[in-house]
Every structure is written in structure tokens, then in C-alpha cells.
């Protein structure tokens, strides 16, 4: 096969590069970073939800306060009217209105009491969410810094290997390079494999598959063939 040595050199460097990239991508910190991000987002959601709950509580308070103020005014008016009138009918009507107002006021006071419990809970959840969020953000930032540092440390090596690959690439036929890129895009390493002699005059692929008669003829004729299962390029060592 044309420029087989170049091809194998390319593959060797590419595998080395893949290992470094995998190291960066699969580092534990990367996983921890994802976790911290999820936890931070959960805390953020708690804060957002409790903020909404707090808003509804505040609006309830404001409405209750407005009603109480109005109600107080009206009660004073009624009391004044009751004192100034001798009319029994009117007094009875005013008393009825007073009773209704008192009932409504008592109910709102009761609900305000219930709200106090809920308010305390909302405030606690809010503070807890904020605290967790702060903690998680700091964890996240620490991990991110470490990961960046790790990447930076590996960067010169990655660049060096990439430059080497770029230098060899032109020496490899374009159609072969295309096959290589396609196989390695599926993370199948090595992509180019030497034919393994299974029995006399029989060959196997790297993946274990024994070559068919037809593929084997192609291998013997051209010096290379594609595996029928894994699609790797199999070459014959001469
Ligand atoms: Zn195979």
C-alpha cells in the first residue's frame, strides 16, 4: 500500500492525541462540574419559586391591609351613626353591617395568622436556596478553574501532536485519509490494522472476524481491504 509507513505513523500520533483528548474530556472534574451545575440550577429554581411565593404573600398582605384600613374607617362611621340615631330600624341595620364587617375582619386575621407560618417557611426555603446556590457556585467555579488549568497544561501537547498530524497528512492519499477519518469519527482505534493470520492462508481482522474468500482475495491482490463487519482498513504486512 502506498505510503503505508506514513499512514501508520499518522495513526500512532493520532492515537496519542486521542488519549490526551480523552483524558481532558473524561476527567473526573468534568463530571463533577456537571453535577455542581445541576445542583446550582436546582438551588436557583428554589430561589425563583420561593420568590414567587413571597410575592403572592406580599400581595395578600397588601390587600388585607387595605381591607382592614377601610373596615376600621367604616366601623368608626357606624359607631358614630349608631350613637346619633334614635331610629331602631336604622340601629338594627347598622348593627347587622357591623357584625358582617367583624366576621370578615376576624376571618382575614385568621388567614393572616396562617400566612405567618407559611411566610416563615418560604423565607427559610429562600435562604436555604440562596445558601446552596452560593456554595454550589463556588464549587462549580473551583472545578472549572481546575479543569481549565488541566486543559491548559495539556494544550501544548495537543497542539504539538496536531501539528505533527498536519505535517504527515499530505503524504497520505486522500481516499485513504477519508476512510481513516470516517472510522475514527466513530472512535474506532486503530482504524488501520494489520491482517492477522488465523490459519494458513486465512486472515482475520482486528475485530476477530475471519475474512471472506472475496475480501481475502482483495487483500492479497491490493495489499489492503475493508473488514466486512467493523469497516476497518486491513493491510497486509509485506
Ligand atoms: Zn473488523
Amino acid at each position: 500500500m502506498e505510503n503505508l509507513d506514513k499512514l501508520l505513523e499518522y495513526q500512532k500520533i493520532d492515537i496519542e492525541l486521542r488519549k490526551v483528548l480523552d483524558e481532558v474530556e473524561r476527567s473526573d472534574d468534568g463530571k463533577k462540574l456537571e453535577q455542581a451545575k445541576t445542583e446550582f440550577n436546582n438551588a436557583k429554581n428554589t430561589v425563583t419559586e420561593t420568590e414567587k411565593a413571597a410575592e403572592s404573600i406580599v400581595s395578600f398582605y397588601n390587600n388585607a391591609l387595605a381591607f382592614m384600613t377601610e373596615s376600621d374607617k367604616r366601623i368608626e362611621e357606624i359607631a358614630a351613626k349608631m350613637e346619633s340615631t334614635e331610629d331602631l330600624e336604622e340601629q338594627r341595620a347598622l348593627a347587622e353591617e357591623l357584625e358582617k364587617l367583624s366576621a370578615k375582619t376576624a376571618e382575614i386575621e385568621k388567614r393572616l395568622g396562617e400566612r405567618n407560618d407559611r411566610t416563615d417557611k418560604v423565607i427559610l426555603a429562600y435562604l436555604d436556596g440562596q445558601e446552596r446556590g452560593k456554595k454550589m457556585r463556588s464549587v462549580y467555579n473551583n472545578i472549572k478553574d481546575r479543569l481549565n488549568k488541566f486543559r491548559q497544561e495539556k494544550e501544548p501537547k495537543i497542539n504539538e501532536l496536531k501539528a505533527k498530524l498536519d505535517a504527515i497528512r499530505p503524504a497520505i492519499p486522500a481516499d485513504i485519509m477519508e476512510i481513516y477519518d470516517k472510522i475514527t469519527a466513530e472512535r474506532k482505534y486503530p482504524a488501520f490494522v494489520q491482517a492477522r493470520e488465523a490459519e494458513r492462508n486465512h486472515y482475520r481482522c482486528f475485530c476477530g472476524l475471519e475474512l471472506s474468500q472475496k475480501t481475502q482475495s482483495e487483500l492479497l491482490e491490493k495489499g489492503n481491504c475493508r473488514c466486512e463487519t467493523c469497516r476497518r482498513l486491513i493491510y497486509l504486512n509485506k
Side-chain angles (χ1 to χ4, degrees), residues 77-90:
E77 273 171 28
I78 291 169
K81 266 192 193 169
M82 278 176 100
E83 267 179 34
S84 66
T85 183
E86 298 292 324
D87 186 340
L88 279 179
E89 268 306 302
E90 203 188 346

Side-chain angles (χ1 to χ4, degrees), residues 188-218:
K188 278 185 201 160
Y189 288 94
F192 292 144
V193 293
Q194 192 179 332
R196 297 173 173 196
E197 208 156 348
E199 289 160 43
R200 224 161 12 138
N201 299 325
H202 275 284
Y203 288 99
R204 276 184 203 283
C205 171
F206 176 85
C207 72
L209 184 91
E210 196 168 310
L211 303 185
S212 70
Q213 259 332 317
K214 189 172 163 268
T215 312
Q216 176 144 325
S217 313
E218 200 189 326

Side-chain angles (χ1 to χ4, degrees), residues 24-226:
V24 173
E25 281 169 24
R26 292 181 196 157
S27 67
D28 267 341
D29 275 354
K31 277 181 218 152
K32 281 185 209 147
L33 191 65
E34 280 306 305
Q35 255 172 25
K37 210 170 165 182
T38 309
E39 282 178 45
F40 172 69
N41 282 334
N42 288 344
K44 212 169 99 186
N45 285 342
T46 306
V47 170
T48 312
E49 274 163 30
T50 47
E51 260 173 0
K52 266 188 221 152
E55 259 170 43
S56 109
I57 286 169
V58 167
S59 115
F60 173 79
Y61 265 114
N62 286 338
N63 288 337
L65 195 66
F67 174 82
M68 295 296 226
T69 313
E70 274 306 301
S71 176
D72 276 353
K73 241 197 263 167
R74 185 67 194 141
I75 286 168
E76 268 173 41
E77 273 171 28
I78 291 169
K81 266 192 193 169
M82 278 176 100
E83 267 179 34
S84 66
T85 183
E86 298 292 324
D87 186 340
L88 279 179
E89 268 306 302
E90 203 188 346
Q91 277 186 348
R92 193 179 301 142
L94 289 168
E96 246 172 56
E97 198 188 336
L98 196 61
E99 217 167 289
K100 270 184 201 160
L101 269 179
S102 301
K104 186 104 199 245
T105 309
E107 199 205 317
I108 286 180
E109 269 170 358
K110 194 178 147 229
R111 279 173 65 193
L112 277 172
E114 285 164 5
R115 287 275 161 169
N116 269 331
D117 287 348
R118 227 190 110 198
T119 311
D120 287 349
K121 274 182 200 149
V122 166
I123 289 170
L124 282 180
Y126 175 77
L127 291 177
D128 178 58
Q130 259 196 340
E131 196 53 41
R132 273 190 295 142
K134 242 188 262 169
K135 215 189 269 173
M136 277 309 130
R137 178 176 291 188
S138 117
V139 169
Y140 177 82
N141 285 337
N142 276 343
I143 296 170
K144 209 165 109 185
D145 286 349
R146 275 197 340 241
L147 197 59
N148 280 341
K149 212 177 142 207
F150 184 64
R151 273 191 189 136
Q152 272 165 14
E153 275 168 21
K154 296 284 171 187
E155 212 168 74
K157 185 77 191 162
I158 291 171
N159 290 338
E160 182 202 322
L161 293 171
K162 279 183 178 168
K164 276 189 189 168
L165 290 178
D166 285 345
I168 305 171
R169 246 180 125 91
I172 300 164
D175 55 335
I176 298 286
M177 207 64 249
E178 202 181 312
I179 293 171
Y180 183 87
D181 288 342
K182 224 170 161 178
I183 299 171
T184 53
E186 295 169 32
R187 303 248 169 155
K188 278 185 201 160
Y189 288 94
F192 292 144
V193 293
Q194 192 179 332
R196 297 173 173 196
E197 208 156 348
E199 289 160 43
R200 224 161 12 138
N201 299 325
H202 275 284
Y203 288 99
R204 276 184 203 283
C205 171
F206 176 85
C207 72
L209 184 91
E210 196 168 310
L211 303 185
S212 70
Q213 259 332 317
K214 189 172 163 268
T215 312
Q216 176 144 325
S217 313
E218 200 189 326
L219 175 70
L220 294 172
E221 213 171 285
K222 275 180 23 189
N224 66 72
C225 67
R226 300 289 295 277

